Coordinates of all heavy atoms in Angstrom, one line a residue:
I490 N 35.8 -113.3 25.8 CA 35.0 -114.5 26.2 C 33.5 -114.5 25.7 O 32.9 -115.5 25.7 CB 35.1 -114.7 27.8 CG1 34.6 -113.6 28.5 CG2 36.6 -115.1 28.2 CD1 34.4 -114.0 30.1
S491 N 33.0 -113.3 25.3 CA 31.7 -113.3 24.9 C 31.6 -113.0 23.4 O 30.6 -113.0 22.9 CB 30.9 -112.3 25.7 OG 31.2 -111.0 25.3
Y492 N 32.7 -112.6 22.8 CA 32.8 -112.3 21.3 C 31.8 -111.1 21.1 O 31.4 -111.0 19.8 CB 32.4 -113.6 20.4 CG 32.9 -114.8 20.9 CD1 32.3 -116.0 20.6 CD2 34.2 -114.9 21.5 CE1 32.8 -117.3 21.1 CE2 34.7 -116.0 21.9 CZ 34.1 -117.3 21.7 OH 34.7 -118.6 22.1
M493 N 31.5 -110.3 21.9 CA 30.8 -109.1 21.7 C 31.7 -107.9 21.2 O 32.8 -107.8 21.8 CB 30.0 -108.7 22.9 CG 28.9 -109.5 23.1 SD 27.9 -108.9 24.6 CE 26.9 -107.6 24.0
H494 N 31.2 -106.9 20.5 CA 32.0 -105.7 20.3 C 32.1 -104.9 21.5 O 31.1 -104.6 22.1 CB 31.4 -105.0 19.1 CG 32.0 -103.7 18.8 ND1 33.3 -103.6 18.5 CD2 31.7 -102.4 19.1 CE1 33.7 -102.4 18.4 NE2 32.7 -101.6 18.8
A495 N 33.3 -104.6 21.8 CA 33.5 -103.7 23.0 C 34.7 -102.8 22.7 O 35.7 -103.2 22.2 CB 33.6 -104.5 24.3
E496 N 34.5 -101.6 23.3 CA 35.8 -100.7 23.2 C 36.0 -100.0 24.5 O 35.1 -99.6 25.1 CB 35.4 -99.5 22.1 CG 35.4 -100.0 20.8 CD 35.4 -98.9 19.8 OE1 36.3 -98.0 20.0 OE2 34.7 -98.9 18.8
G497 N 37.3 -99.8 24.8 CA 37.7 -99.0 25.9 C 38.1 -97.6 25.4 O 38.9 -97.6 24.4
Y498 N 37.6 -96.5 26.0 CA 38.0 -95.2 25.4 C 38.1 -94.3 26.5 O 37.5 -94.3 27.6 CB 36.8 -94.8 24.5 CG 37.3 -94.4 23.1 CD1 37.4 -95.3 22.2 CD2 37.6 -93.0 22.9 CE1 37.9 -94.9 20.8 CE2 38.0 -92.6 21.6 CZ 38.3 -93.5 20.7 OH 38.6 -93.1 19.5
A499 N 39.0 -93.2 26.2 CA 39.1 -92.1 27.2 C 37.9 -91.3 27.2 O 37.4 -90.9 26.0 CB 40.3 -91.2 26.9
A500 N 37.2 -91.0 28.3 CA 35.9 -90.4 28.3 C 35.9 -89.0 27.6 O 35.1 -88.6 26.9 CB 35.4 -90.2 29.6
G501 N 37.0 -88.2 27.7 CA 37.2 -86.9 27.1 C 37.3 -87.0 25.6 O 37.1 -86.0 24.9
E502 N 37.6 -88.2 25.1 CA 37.8 -88.4 23.7 C 36.4 -88.8 22.9 O 36.4 -88.8 21.7 CB 38.8 -89.5 23.3 CG 40.2 -89.1 23.6 CD 40.7 -88.1 22.5 OE1 40.7 -88.4 21.3 OE2 41.0 -86.9 22.9
M503 N 35.5 -89.1 23.7 CA 34.1 -89.6 23.2 C 33.6 -88.6 22.1 O 33.2 -89.0 21.1 CB 33.1 -89.6 24.3 CG 33.3 -90.8 25.3 SD 32.9 -92.3 24.6 CE 31.1 -92.2 24.5
K504 N 33.7 -87.2 22.4 CA 33.1 -86.2 21.5 C 33.9 -86.2 20.3 O 33.4 -85.5 19.3 CB 33.0 -84.9 22.2 CG 34.4 -84.5 22.8 CD 34.2 -83.2 23.7 CE 35.5 -82.8 24.3 NZ 36.0 -83.6 25.3
H505 N 35.1 -86.8 20.2 CA 35.9 -86.7 19.0 C 35.5 -87.9 18.0 O 36.4 -88.2 17.1 CB 37.3 -86.7 19.3 CG 37.8 -85.4 20.0 ND1 37.7 -84.2 19.5 CD2 38.0 -85.4 21.4 CE1 38.1 -83.4 20.5 NE2 38.3 -84.0 21.6
G506 N 34.5 -88.7 18.3 CA 34.2 -89.7 17.4 C 33.2 -90.8 17.9 O 32.2 -90.9 17.5

Side-chain angles (χ1 to χ4, degrees):
I490 61 167
S491 73
Y492 317 150
M493 285 180 84
H494 174 64
E496 291 196 40
Y498 232 87
E502 284 291 296
M503 290 283 292
K504 55 187 176 293
H505 299 292

